[in-house]
Amino acid sequence: MGNNIDFEYEFPDIAHFLGRENTAELSHLMQLREIPAGMTLIEDGATVDAFMLIFSGEFNVEVSNRDKSLLLGQLGKGKWVGEVSYFTGDGLSTAKVYAVVDSSVLELKHADFVDAQTRHPMLASMLIQHFGELMAGRLRNSNQAFEQVGEQKLALMLANNEASIKDSWLIAMLKKLTGIEV
């Protein structure tokens, strides 16, 4: 395992949060994986077995329902994917993630992370805290959006079946919940 990437230079915010020793260990545990343009990194509803940190390129994120897909947006360098599935218990993804251009990710298999929890408990604790803060931030953003829309306005939109308003509101909510910039 391991790679030759200067994690502190490439991801200074994450490195600062984790600290030098944990950053070095995380960098050692992660593998660089090349993803060609058009390749699906995570399939919606499929089992995910790794945390992935986008190293380069761009990825589209979309959700599907029956025969329809909804593009939520794009993620780039420094964004995590696959972290939510680790904490859900079923390990299933909540969206499809695919490369728009030739891209790369740093990958940490969930099994290796579980092993690291005993060998490097401080790293595991800090990384779990980091993911918790990311997910909590997404929920806070969603709550703020709910407050802005207001229950009555949403109820009125749904009652009048105003599809375009309802769809744009849904897209905004999904973007906030998944951490995609609005």
Side-chain angles (χ1 to χ4, degrees):
M1 285 197 172
N3 56 68
N4 295 325
I5 293 168
D6 184 349
F7 203 92
E8 291 183 56
Y9 173 78
E10 297 292 343
F11 307 103
D13 292 341
I14 297 170
H16 177 73
F17 179 80
L18 294 176
R20 180 163 285 184
E21 185 177 319
N22 290 327
T23 298
E25 187 57 39
L26 178 62
S27 179
H28 175 73
L29 291 171
M30 298 184 92
Q31 291 295 307
L32 185 63
R33 181 174 163 201
E34 300 296 328
I35 312 296
M39 181 178 169
T40 298
L41 181 64
I42 298 174
E43 191 64 56
D44 191 8
T47 302
V48 179
D49 69 346
F51 304 106
M52 290 159 273
L53 180 61
I54 299 173
F55 182 70
S56 68
E58 291 182 6
F59 291 85
N60 277 352
V61 179
E62 66 181 42
V63 292
S64 300
N65 186 8
R66 297 183 193 105
D67 295 334
K68 292 184 178 182
S69 293
L70 177 65
L71 179 65
L72 297 178
Q74 290 187 334
L75 296 175
K77 183 174 182 167
K79 297 294 184 179
W80 289 95
V81 294
E83 79 285 358
V84 174
S85 65
Y86 180 81
F87 298 98
T88 62
D90 60 10
L92 299 179
S93 69
T94 56
K96 177 179 180 177
V97 179
Y98 59 94
V100 177
V101 298
D102 289 344
S103 303
S104 60
V105 297
L106 289 169
E107 183 177 70
L108 173 59
K109 295 287 188 185
H110 291 167
D112 293 334
F113 179 69
V114 169
D115 183 50
Q117 289 176 353
T118 56
R119 292 184 298 114
H120 308 285
M122 184 56 77
L123 168 62
S125 175
M126 294 296 291
L127 204 50
I128 287 171
Q129 181 180 349
H130 176 65
F131 291 143
E133 289 177 6
L134 287 175
M135 289 183 263
R138 293 173 189 163
L139 286 174
R140 273 192 296 279
N141 288 339
S142 297
N143 286 340
Q144 289 172 354
F146 276 121
E147 290 171 7
Q148 290 173 359
V149 171
E151 278 185 41
Q152 291 178 351
K153 186 174 181 182
L154 178 59
L156 180 61
M157 288 187 306
L158 294 174
N160 291 331
N161 199 22
E162 296 177 20
S164 63
I165 296 171
K166 190 169 49 175
D167 288 347
S168 22
W169 179 83
L170 177 62
I171 290 168
M173 289 293 82
L174 291 171
K175 284 181 177 185
K176 289 182 181 299
L177 286 169
T178 58
I180 295 173
E181 307 303 322
V182 177

